[in-house]
Amino acid sequence: EVVLTQSPGTLSLSPGERATLSCRASQSVTSNFLAWFQQKPGQAPRLLIYGASSRATGIPDRFSGSGSGTDFTLTISRLEPEDFAVYYCHQYSSSPITFGQGTKLEI
Amino acid sequence: EVQLVQSGGGLVQPGGSLRLSCVVSGFTFSSSWMSWVRQAPGRGLAWVASINQDGSQVSYADSLKGRFTISRDNVKNSLHLQMNSLRVEDTAVYYCAGGGSSSWSYWGQGTLVTVSS
């Protein structure tokens, strides 16, 4: 099983700042089948990034993904008030499909 | 407009059964790998099961094998999760997901399953 470890657990920043979220896999994620989701309270997850670095449809370009193998990063270049939420990384390259434990981005 | 409309959640006693459904519109369901994901109260996301486009390949989280069954009806554009022998620890919001470039682009609104006596 590919274990995804996200850091930090909580990230406290202000609007306008840059956010860097990390996701480390216990084994290499093949073909970069690594995605990032945003989830707000009471809402379904929203796909931000797939294939490690491809933005999903309608996602602002302040969101970017990078990395390969076992180390992946989600960067939000300039935080907007609506970006404060929980973020999950997710690998779908091997079964069982797994999610990281989440990073809470708070104001 | 893409829509995944879920139904079938509710309160059930331990040992009971429930069938969740997810009706899809707005994208080509029959060409899409589909999945179920759940989220226990206050917890993170956990994968439940996935099914390929024609239903010939299914996979499950190890802890759920033998109790949960994923299926699909490509005529009715619907995805299902049959849940048997439910346990208190199965209490969660269940989401259907699929479609798009990554097969994870679109999500249902979620349906709450509560297992309690």
Side-chain angles (χ1 to χ4, degrees):
Chain A
E1 173 175 332
V2 178
V3 176
L4 299 177
T5 302
Q6 294 186 238
S7 61
T10 302
L11 185 58
S12 299
L13 293 170
S14 299
E17 291 191 296
R18 180 185 185 91
T20 303
L21 286 67
S22 173
C23 177
R24 178 160 289 179
S26 61
Q27 307 167 37
S28 183
V29 177
T30 58
S31 303
N32 283 344
F33 286 157
L34 190 287
W36 290 92
F37 293 94
Q38 176 194 69
Q39 189 179 32
K40 297 179 180 179
Q43 296 185 14
R46 175 193 182 196
L47 178 67
L48 300 174
I49 301 289
Y50 65 94
S53 60
S54 298
R55 262 189 306 277
T57 303
I59 301 303
D61 60 8
R62 65 179 180 274
F63 291 90
S64 63
S66 63
S68 64
T70 60
D71 287 291
F72 299 88
T73 300
L74 174 70
T75 302
I76 311 171
S77 59
R78 285 180 55 85
L79 286 165
E80 298 286 342
E82 63 267 27
D83 298 337
F84 292 91
V86 178
Y87 291 83
Y88 295 95
C89 60
H90 159 66
Q91 70 80 24
Y92 48 105
S93 69
S94 63
S95 187
I97 293 167
T98 51
F99 290 87
Q101 83 281 15
T103 289
K104 182 179 181 180
L105 179 55
E106 64 177 24
I107 299 178
Chain B
E1 179 191 8
V2 172
Q3 286 193 310
L4 288 77
V5 179
Q6 297 184 226
S7 60
L11 175 63
V12 61
Q13 292 188 337
S17 298
L18 274 179
R19 186 180 193 234
L20 305 184
S21 295
C22 172
V23 176
V24 169
S25 60
F27 66 90
T28 308
F29 178 76
S30 59
S31 299
S32 301
W33 191 282
M34 299 295 296
S35 299
W36 289 96
V37 173
R38 69 183 183 181
Q39 187 169 35
R43 306 293 297 274
L45 301 171
W47 173 67
V48 171
S50 295
I51 187 167
N52 73 337
Q53 290 85 343
D54 65 4
S56 61
Q57 295 180 43
V58 296
S59 55
Y60 299 93
D62 283 346
S63 62
L64 303 176
K65 284 179 185 175
R67 295 195 298 125
F68 287 19
T69 303
I70 188 172
S71 63
R72 66 190 296 157
D73 183 336
N74 285 347
V75 174
K76 296 182 178 179
N77 281 6
S78 60
L79 177 72
H80 305 283
L81 185 69
Q82 177 67 42
M83 304 185 294
N84 298 331
S85 303
L86 283 162
R87 305 168 181 169
V88 171
E89 55 266 33
D90 295 319
T91 295
V93 174
Y94 286 72
Y95 295 100
C96 59
S101 303
S102 72
S103 298
W104 294 94
S105 295
Y106 308 118
W107 290 63
Q109 82 277 17
T111 189
L112 177 61
V113 171
T114 303
V115 185
S116 174
S117 55

